[in-house]
Amino acid sequence: MEELQKRILQDGVVLSSNILKVNSFINHQVDPLLMDSCGKALADHFTQYGPTKVLTAQTSGVAPAQATAFHLGVPYVFARESKPITLSGHSVLEARSRSYTKNKDIVLYAAAEFIQSNDKILIVDDFLASGTTAEALHSMCKQAGAEVIGMGFLVEKNFQGGRQTIHKDIPEFDMSRVVSLAIVGSLDDKNKRVILSDQDNLQQSVNSLIPTVKRECHSRNS
């Protein structure tokens, strides 16, 4: 998505070779017009699969999830990083994830009543980095018996292997339904520069993993 890519190049701050700061327009201060455009782009892409709900993780996933859900005309659910008292006595879905920016393991929680077996879930988040949050959200849907029809991200740091991790750990998932609006190929810490990549080249690199993944799945099932 050109609008988001330009904004990343203009206002994104390279803190290190692994960390891109987008606090001024995505995940601290939020540009509502940009977020609305991002939500519409994700909604336009995934509406063909008939999602009934959008699922994300608090806190930075809420803005893109809300915008996407708005344009799809469906509710959105956000998994919490703590278990509130309001969930006491209720059936709860939970899954473990790893926060790269916080450098710690976290457990995500969501009320089971909001993710049903007949739901078609679109997972949305601000970043795809290591892939652990996306996998945790996918695990919640699997616990509920719901179908995950796609995963949409604003920014993907493909050098951190999240897409490959999802492909390896959830081999049955159609990787053509993992979509990122902007893909960062690398972060030049020395020159404080963001190098963007493109979706087609990324998909080709993932497709090259398919024989390996199939061999690994076969060996586990043998």
Side-chain angles (χ1 to χ4, degrees):
M1 179 183 172
E2 186 176 359
E3 183 181 358
L4 177 60
Q5 293 170 348
K6 287 182 177 179
R7 195 64 180 274
I8 291 170
L9 294 175
Q10 175 184 318
D11 295 330
V13 179
V14 176
L15 296 183
S16 72
S17 59
N18 288 319
I19 299 178
L20 172 64
K21 182 179 177 181
V22 290
N23 284 18
S24 66
F25 57 101
I26 288 181
N27 55 17
H28 191 47
Q29 174 176 269
V30 177
D31 182 333
L33 297 181
L34 175 64
M35 200 58 63
D36 183 71
S37 296
C38 291
K40 186 177 186 305
L42 290 174
D44 287 348
H45 181 83
F46 286 106
T47 189
Q48 61 185 309
Y49 304 115
T52 59
K53 285 178 185 172
V54 173
L55 176 64
T56 192
Q58 75 169 146
T59 301
S60 54
V62 171
Q66 182 174 14
T68 304
F70 173 80
H71 284 286
L72 286 170
V74 301
Y76 75 96
V77 179
F78 63 90
R80 298 172 178 267
E81 293 182 6
S82 60
K83 193 174 181 180
I85 192 171
T86 53
L87 289 182
S88 299
H90 294 268
S91 180
V92 176
L93 306 170
E94 60 181 81
R96 187 171 297 276
S97 180
R98 175 79 182 173
S99 173
Y100 192 87
T101 52
K102 296 177 182 177
N103 194 30
K104 66 176 185 179
D105 290 331
I106 58 174
V107 178
L108 297 174
Y109 303 91
E113 64 184 294
F114 298 132
I115 303 176
Q116 300 291 316
S117 59
N118 60 345
D119 275 320
K120 294 184 177 182
I121 304 294
L122 172 60
I123 292 172
V124 171
D125 208 355
D126 61 337
F127 272 92
L128 172 59
S130 65
T132 57
T133 300
E135 287 191 334
L137 295 173
H138 185 279
S139 174
M140 287 179 161
C141 296
K142 190 172 182 179
Q143 292 170 45
E147 177 188 358
V148 177
I149 59 90
M151 300 181 183
F153 306 92
L154 300 188
V155 184
E156 177 174 351
K157 295 189 286 183
N158 75 320
F159 54 89
Q160 290 183 314
R163 185 176 291 256
Q164 288 81 357
T165 297
I166 294 169
H167 193 58
K168 180 179 179 181
D169 294 345
I170 316 175
E172 71 277 11
F173 192 73
D174 182 353
M175 293 303 295
S176 69
R177 297 193 185 186
V178 178
V179 173
S180 302
L181 300 183
I183 300 172
V184 177
S186 62
L187 297 173
D188 183 350
D189 188 31
K190 181 179 179 180
N191 298 301
K192 301 300 178 184
R193 191 165 63 97
V194 179
I195 295 92
L196 297 178
S197 185
D198 65 80
Q199 188 93 19
D200 290 339
N201 289 340
L202 196 58
Q203 188 60 47
Q204 289 173 11
S205 69
V206 171
N207 287 343
S208 69
L209 294 175
I210 291 177
T212 302
V213 172
K214 286 183 176 178
R215 285 197 297 270
E216 289 179 355
C217 291
H218 178 75
S219 63
R220 284 201 299 265
N221 294 329
S222 299

